[in-house]
Amino acid sequence: MADILKKRVFPAVLASVLLFALAACGNAEDADTSDVSETSDTPAVTTSAVSETTSADPSRFVVGAKTDGEIGEQSESDVPDYADPLAYNFLTGEAFPEKAESARRPTAVSVNNLSTAAKYQCGLSKADIVFEVEVEGGITRLLALFADPSEVGKLGSIRSARPVMVGIALGFDAYFVHSGGSKQAYSELAQYGVPDIDGMKAYAGYFYYDDAIVKATSLEHGYFTSGNNVASAIEKYDSGASRTEIKHGYNDFLNFYVSPTDIGGEPAARVTTKYGSYCPYFVYSEADGLYYRWQYGRAHTDYSTGEQLSFCNVIVLSVDSWVISNDSAGRRQFDDVGSGNGILASKGTYINIKWEKPSYDAPLTLTAEDGSPLYVNIGSSFISYVDGESNILVSAE
């Protein structure tokens, strides 16, 4: 993975390379040809619970070397009982305040990321993991994962499904919340039996249009749901499902350090991902040890809270993709089955890593560059798929 700025470039040269790359980054065209959903008014809903039982693997958690006091250290009371699968969130490694159904199937939500709609995004600050993938012509979409969506509040705006997003959801054995989709995505949703919460079809009553946002943007950018609505829709789905428990082996995506840990590697003050002219980036804050996200020339914020999105771990994976032949919308096909390279940035440094996904519906596996288990710091993660290692830029300053 030497191509991802692994070679020690002198700081001045590295800065010049980054500035040149960023100068070429502007806003992608605000055109989206994906499906526009129809819906009815939001019904009264109640929070549901989906119970699961599965065993945890305590070896997924290790005591790492603690970082300096500026980031802080966990007290003994903050460390969950990792032998108990009901004591921690397997997407973040965080302890639940009370025993919860942490082994339940997570929920994956397709979220609009066009520049005109991104400023109105709601619920992302509460996501456990956020994926970003290119859907067409430099336009990306976000897939937000929640261990428990019931308390998220307003969520959206909700957009249509793409095959790469279906594959990600399958890898977590997740419920998949979306509104509409490409023909290929619908085909794969049916073929693989994905627990499908579609706001265009059977579950339209759990979604609604925000009139103010529709007026400020357009119809397709103002389609929302809520954590309570999603939980209620899942309850409806589960009432007729043959299986509600998560599959064995699908709830151990990440390994965690028990305490904040310096992962080693090279300095990573800024991480940029390139999707044509659109180049979102993350800036590291030494004050709290988090990476803050920027896109479209502004801080990437949650419209509901005004909070800038921040993440403990930033993971960028090189996943080859190309425009589907004869697709008038320019949708992309991903080579997301197999293996490849990437980086992990955490606590101000980055290391090279590897990814593997043996089949479309298999879990995604991350390892260190030498193939050994990869450990990350406890907290939320952002995962970007980019088309080639040249689209990953890391700056030491």
Side-chain angles (χ1 to χ4, degrees), residues 36-47:
V36 178
S37 306
E38 298 297 333
T39 185
S40 59
D41 293 337
T42 307
V45 295
T46 56
T47 302

Side-chain angles (χ1 to χ4, degrees), residues 233-292:
I234 288 172
E235 185 176 36
K236 175 183 175 182
Y237 177 91
D238 282 345
S239 67
S242 60
R243 176 177 65 86
T244 60
E245 72 278 2
I246 193 168
K247 292 179 184 177
H248 177 70
Y250 282 71
N251 67 331
D252 54 4
F253 172 55
L254 294 172
N255 307 303
F256 299 96
Y257 292 113
V258 171
S259 56
T261 298
D262 183 346
I263 64 171
E266 305 292 339
R270 178 166 171 156
V271 178
T272 302
T273 53
K274 294 180 62 180
Y275 302 93
S277 62
Y278 162 64
C279 303
Y281 61 92
F282 302 82
V283 176
Y284 179 65
S285 169
E286 293 185 359
D288 58 11
L290 299 176
Y291 282 91
Y292 286 79

Side-chain angles (χ1 to χ4, degrees), residues 16 28 38 56 70 121 157 227 243 285 288 343:
S16 297
E38 298 297 333
E70 290 186 3
Q121 289 168 341
S157 60
R243 176 177 65 86
S285 169
D288 58 11
I343 67 163

Side-chain angles (χ1 to χ4, degrees), residues 89 91-92 94 107-109 111 122-131 142-149 151-155 302 307 309-312 379-382:
N89 179 343
L91 298 176
T92 65
E94 295 169 323
T107 301
V109 182
V111 177
C122 297
L124 290 178
S125 63
K126 296 183 179 180
D128 297 317
I129 297 176
V130 179
F131 281 81
L142 305 180
L143 190 68
L145 269 66
F146 303 89
D148 178 7
E151 298 183 4
V152 172
K154 188 174 183 178
L155 185 54
D302 188 317
E307 177 184 357
L309 302 188
S310 60
F311 302 88
C312 190
S380 61
S381 298
F382 194 101

Side-chain angles (χ1 to χ4, degrees), residues 369-381:
E369 190 175 25
D370 63 2
S372 62
L374 179 70
Y375 287 85
V376 303
N377 280 292
I378 290 174
S380 61
S381 298

